[in-house]
Amino acid sequence: GDSVTQMEGPVTLSEEAFLTINCTYTATGYPSLFWYVQYPGEGLQLLLKATKADDKGSNKGFEATYRKETTSFHLEKGSVQVSDSAVYFCALSDRQVTGGGNKLTFGTGTQLKVEL
Amino acid sequence: EPEVTQTPSHQVTQMGQEVILRCVPISNHLYFYWYRQILGQKVEFLVSFYNNEISEKSEIFDDQFSVERPDGSNFTLKIRSTKLEDSAMYFCASSEGTYTDTQYFGPGTRLTVL
């Protein structure tokens, strides 16, 4: 079945440091890939997505490139801020031939803490 | 900006009691989902719902669970006889379409079973 593997957290960085959170996936089809963010006490918010190989998703300074050859979708940001402290979830949605919606399969989440 | 809403934000219940968690999806969305997140664990898919019927469900979604869209706006998750292990955060989500479309999540309902 489908699965998503994320790097273990927590990750603690100083403000303005470079961030990478690794994500690899296993899927039977051609999935769409997502990064969701969960701020303390809140629900899940979509951060970015990519729907086909070599697509790059970007938002709020975060980027991730869909790499089919390495089955990866690593999240990066060049300069993190304290306000980026949150839990980051990598997820995939596998394609279905017929309609009816499509479940998201999530990784375990990576907690990021950014300090001054 | 339209958003998914969920009520209540926190529900405490006794083991064996029935609970109904409520969600109002985004109005033009056609696909509805429930997920749960046990404390400290990953977010897990429970069920998807389209055109007034379940389109997919996970192994977690056993006979104790049911979903319903009782009117044009609400989408509910019922747990018939709660167990301690049902304690979790339950998220509702909705999307316009299928795999490429973003699922928008509500803020969640924290269910505590005593």
Side-chain angles (χ1 to χ4, degrees), chain A residues 81-104:
Chain A
Q81 305 299 312
V82 172
S83 57
D84 294 326
S85 298
V87 180
Y88 292 81
F89 291 92
C90 185
L92 70 82
S93 175
D94 208 349
R95 298 185 179 191
Q96 286 186 351
V97 176
T98 57
N102 222 337
K103 68 181 182 186
L104 287 171

Side-chain angles (χ1 to χ4, degrees), chain B residues 20-96:
Chain B
I20 297 176
L21 309 183
R22 301 180 193 280
C23 168
V24 178
I26 294 173
S27 62
N28 64 330
H29 286 185
L30 301 177
Y31 301 86
F32 314 114
Y33 308 83
W34 284 101
Y35 294 82
R36 80 172 184 190
Q37 184 183 29
I38 295 171
L39 188 64
Q41 299 186 24
K42 67 167 71 176
V43 178
E44 301 172 291
F45 168 78
L46 292 178
V47 65
S48 59
F49 191 87
Y50 168 71
N51 199 25
N52 280 319
E53 59 183 25
I54 291 172
S55 50
E56 188 176 2
K57 60 183 180 179
S58 71
E59 292 175 354
I60 303 166
F61 195 88
D62 61 21
D63 292 344
Q64 293 299 313
F65 291 88
S66 62
V67 289
E68 192 178 31
R69 188 154 162 83
D71 53 42
S73 59
N74 290 284
F75 178 51
T76 61
L77 174 69
K78 182 194 289 186
I79 308 175
R80 253 179 281 281
S81 177
T82 50
K83 307 185 190 78
L84 295 176
E85 54 265 35
D86 293 328
S87 295
M89 181 73 88
Y90 288 81
F91 293 107
C92 174
S94 69
S95 69
E96 288 185 77

Side-chain angles (χ1 to χ4, degrees), chain A residues 54-69:
Chain A
D54 300 325
D55 267 3
K56 179 187 280 189
S58 61
N59 185 27
K60 299 181 182 178
F62 290 90
E63 292 183 340
T65 301
Y66 189 141
R67 301 283 188 205
K68 186 164 177 262
E69 63 277 13

Side-chain angles (χ1 to χ4, degrees), chain A residues 9-15 17-19 80 110-115:
Chain A
V11 173
T12 303
L13 295 173
S14 298
E15 202 170 43
F18 185 86
L19 168 71
V80 294
T110 302
Q111 183 171 10
L112 170 66
K113 184 177 179 184
V114 181
E115 299 174 331

